[in-house]
Amino acid sequence: MENLLRKGVTEAIRSLYNVSVNDDLLQIQKTRKEFTGDLTLVAFPLTRISHKSPELTAKDIGEFLTQHVEAVSGFNVIKGFLNVIISSGEWAKQLKIISEQKEYGSVSTGPDASVIVIEYSSPNTNKPLHLGHIRNNLLGYSLSRICSTAGNKIIRTNIVNDRGIHICKSMVAWQLYANGATPASTGMKGDHFVGDYYVLFEKNYREQSEALVDAGSTPEEARDNAPLMLAARQMLLKWEAGDEETVKLWNMMNSWVYEGFDVTYKALGVEFDKIYYESDTYKTGKELVLRSLAEGQLIRKDDGSVWIDLSDDKLDQKLLLRSDGTAVYITQDLGTAVIRYNDYHFDRHIYVVGNEQNYHFQVLALTLLRMGYKWAAGLLHFSYGMVELPEGRMKSREGKVVDADDLIDEMTATARTMSQELGKLGGYSDTEKENICRKIGLGALKYFILKVDPKKNMTFNPAESIDFNGNTGPFIQYTYARIRSVLKKAGETGISFGGENYDDLIPNPKEINVIKLLNDFPSLVKEAASELSPALIANYLYDLAREFNQFYHDFSILGEENKKVRDFRLRLSALMGTVLEKGLWLLGIEAPERM
RNA sequence: GGUUCCGUAGCUCAGUUGGAUAGAGCAACAGCCUUCUAAGCUGUGGGUCGCGCGUUCGAGUCGCGCCGGAAUCACCA
């Protein structure tokens, strides 16, 4: 509809002023509610062409449109704004057109589509997932669906940080304190089991450091010389040297963690096409660094450590290999990036990683470019904000976190309580009820997280549970369930729809509002993909559902006696259902048939 | 201190490439179920868009400077 108007205005200007107008001078937007009209042309930029006042320019164009464009039934001019009125019947035709499109809102993936690798999740194998990881996983997964729906070829990937000093900490603590206990022997989920030893390590390490300080050490010396830290360092050296017993322990503990992660990923509903392990990629990283050192792009210091000097790019020198030859975090990321490029020849590589690592990703891309990898220009750090608690940020070292598994369980439990209180889901089996409550609880959680602008920090208050009313996931799910219910009833009573033509049908204002919003869906998906913002989808769905609920409240669908109108409303409802379901899908949220 | 990000109603958040009188939800209060699901709908109150200057016909949006908060600048990841 907007394009139609754009064309009309271009023609108007050519005819009136004998100029072909540059498209970005045509500012067309939706008419604000307080004014009459559907679409508004801002006339100020056009005064340069018309050499008339904005009001007169708007009036000229308005008159031309009314005469020459069939869909335009009238106009008004307020200040420099030309409010164009689209004849109501056009919207009915528009509904028919879009509801007959296959895969409305999707762009099919052609042979020359961009290849985008999206990395998200990226857990450490020393502790279970918490709320921060949930935000990461939900953003990454939703982005993958949005970008793929916008026509890109997507590879969802994960890098498992399965090696390094932090893993050794859990291993050391287990050796010292576990007496051979396992997840099986304690009945614990594997990731939680291992995480407890990590927390135990940190606790005892802190005590040891404090004792050393009391005995006269400086805090730095104490941190370096505490027996637990020495043991962890020793463990890391043995691991990198391939010590059999160490590797065996490492394998065993990681396998416990993976079993736990699988459960959490499944509960969250996220998936990956390809998983990389740091323990596989860090060696490539070391080779890259050594080769680049030989080629003279890097510096080796007297103690043997290897650095890159990025001071020309206003950054510091950055360590790439320790003096003892072991790899640091960025070493493996260099290796991983090169391996991935060889695997997929991506056009873009999106890293979904928190904003605390902004510096890291600046260094990563620059280092790869210095090493001669031109494609590193396609690396993009999707930097999202932290999830904070009312008392500040979460601290996994101290065990002060909102655990992912706990939170998912709590959300489902809340959904269950509400469902009971509201007397819903009568006639369903316990399994069916549980399934629906899980969808709703997760819907509330996912929407809560995805509706906020990714780059902003967000606060989560565990004391106030996430809402199920208002601007929430369940609100949108509920709207969907209502529609399903109507359509089901239509089927049961033998009412079919979609057979009428709406050429002479004049929709009411509520219906027109709904159609206008539905009409925006494809451009919204594109925008969400280019802006990389699930929040745009979330907020759009809310507006959409709210608008539909008003219509639903004010008018009867199945009770409508005029067959043509009833057909039209069913069609409107069906399209609404499709768009809501697809929109929720883009966010990784399931749409229940009933709730 | 350097760099990056954020600051909109009591709280949580929207606010299109700069456009008209800045919007939702929650919380509070008042209404609406004999009718397709009330997890819904309607209404009331609530604002120095952190502060200032500039660019512009027009600034919550762009630029500069302050103020406040966060992250980072590790031989941690």
Side-chain angles (χ1 to χ4, degrees), chain A residues 393-408:
Chain A
R393 63 185 305 198
M394 295 187 276
K395 296 196 175 84
S396 46
R397 284 171 196 226
E398 298 168 26
K400 285 180 189 161
V401 293
V402 176
D403 179 74
D405 298 316
D406 290 349
L407 185 57
I408 293 168

Side-chain angles (χ1 to χ4, degrees), chain A residues 35-191:
Chain A
F35 301 99
T36 312
D38 298 295
L39 291 165
T40 295
L41 175 76
V42 184
F44 295 100
L46 300 174
T47 53
R48 272 178 263 170
I49 292 170
S50 65
H51 304 294
K52 291 183 179 178
S53 72
E55 288 84 350
L56 271 176
T57 310
K59 188 166 160 282
D60 288 350
I61 296 172
E63 276 167 1
F64 181 94
L65 290 173
T66 313
Q67 282 166 23
H68 295 88
V69 180
E70 204 197 323
V72 175
S73 65
F75 73 96
N76 62 77
V77 175
I78 295 170
K79 295 192 201 165
F81 297 91
L82 169 64
N83 300 319
V84 176
I85 300 163
I86 304 292
S87 70
S88 302
E90 282 302 313
W91 295 110
K93 289 180 204 161
Q94 187 68 11
L95 172 68
K96 192 172 163 77
I97 291 167
I98 60 184
S99 71
E100 280 166 4
Q101 283 181 26
K102 287 215 169 77
E103 296 297 318
Y104 181 56
S106 297
V107 176
S108 57
T109 307
D112 54 348
S114 288
V115 175
I116 305 179
V117 170
I118 301 185
E119 175 195 292
Y120 61 96
S121 201
S122 311
N124 293 341
T125 58
N126 62 334
K127 52 182 188 268
L129 305 180
H130 58 66
L131 183 51
H133 297 110
I134 291 186
R135 191 177 192 189
N136 180 303
N137 280 281
L138 298 182
L139 283 169
Y141 193 60
S142 176
L143 284 176
S144 75
R145 285 190 165 173
I146 290 168
C147 291
S148 120
T149 302
N152 302 289
K153 176 144 181 29
I154 301 298
I155 294 107
R156 298 166 301 185
T157 182
N158 188 354
I159 179 81
V160 180
N161 300 123
D162 62 346
R163 44 135 259 131
I165 191 77
H166 55 295
I167 314 297
C168 293
K169 289 177 179 177
S170 303
M171 287 159 65
V172 165
W174 185 82
Q175 271 188 331
L176 288 173
Y177 311 120
N179 293 319
T182 67
S185 75
T186 55
M188 283 180 75
K189 196 162 165 284
D191 49 341

Side-chain angles (χ1 to χ4, degrees), chain A residues 297 363-378:
Chain A
Q297 293 138 342
V363 172
L364 180 68
L366 276 173
T367 304
L368 285 165
L369 284 170
R370 289 279 182 96
M371 289 178 164
Y373 297 108
K374 298 261 172 23
W375 48 260

Side-chain angles (χ1 to χ4, degrees), chain A residues 44-45 160 293 298 304 395 428 460 503 521 568 594:
Chain A
F44 295 100
V160 180
L293 177 69
L298 308 178
K395 296 196 175 84
Y428 273 12
F460 174 78
D503 285 352
F521 183 55
F568 173 77
R594 196 182 139 182

